Amino acid sequence: MYVFGGWVPLVMDDVKVATHEKEWKCTNTLACLNLDTMTWEPVVMEAQEDNLPRARAGHCSVAINSRLYIWSGRDGYRKAWNNQVCCKDLWYLETGRQEQTV
């Protein structure tokens, strides 16, 4: 099972910890849960930043054959509705294992 992006808490300073104020940001990280072992496996996306989907949350994704499609979402800047930018783009990740050549 693949998980792309979403909200993660920012590291908080002492003032925010004392007031229980949380700040969040979106990520564009990708992880894979191995459903046989129930362990998370990091996935390294080998591409330039311009060739990766930008950080987002609230997006949709669907797997069709060996591709995971990621569509839309919000960039989630400061998690405030009036500051978010809608991502109007479609990306896909090829999840099939590539054959290794010797």
Side-chain angles (χ1 to χ4, degrees):
M1 177 176 77
Y2 290 95
V3 176
F4 174 82
W7 295 113
V8 295
L10 290 172
V11 176
M12 298 186 290
D13 59 28
D14 293 336
V15 173
K16 291 181 182 171
V17 170
T19 61
H20 301 289
E21 180 183 341
K22 291 184 179 179
E23 278 196 52
W24 298 79
K25 71 173 186 171
C26 287
T27 70
N28 67 342
T29 57
L30 181 68
C32 179
L33 177 61
N34 182 322
L35 297 175
D36 293 328
T37 63
M38 295 306 289
T39 57
W40 286 100
E41 300 172 355
V43 178
V44 177
M45 295 186 284
E46 297 177 6
Q48 298 294 325
E49 189 67 29
D50 292 345
N51 295 327
L52 294 174
R54 69 178 171 189
R56 65 189 67 208
H59 52 282
C60 298
S61 62
V62 63
I64 301 174
N65 297 321
S66 64
R67 288 185 177 175
L68 174 69
Y69 292 89
I70 300 166
W71 181 76
S72 193
R74 299 178 310 277
D75 73 349
Y77 175 74
R78 294 188 166 287
K79 202 174 180 181
W81 286 103
N82 58 346
N83 289 327
Q84 295 181 9
V85 174
C86 182
C87 305
K88 299 178 182 177
D89 52 0
L90 175 68
W91 295 82
Y92 74 88
L93 166 70
E94 186 64 55
T95 61
R97 300 206 182 255
Q98 295 189 5
E99 295 180 27
Q100 295 184 358
T101 57
V102 181

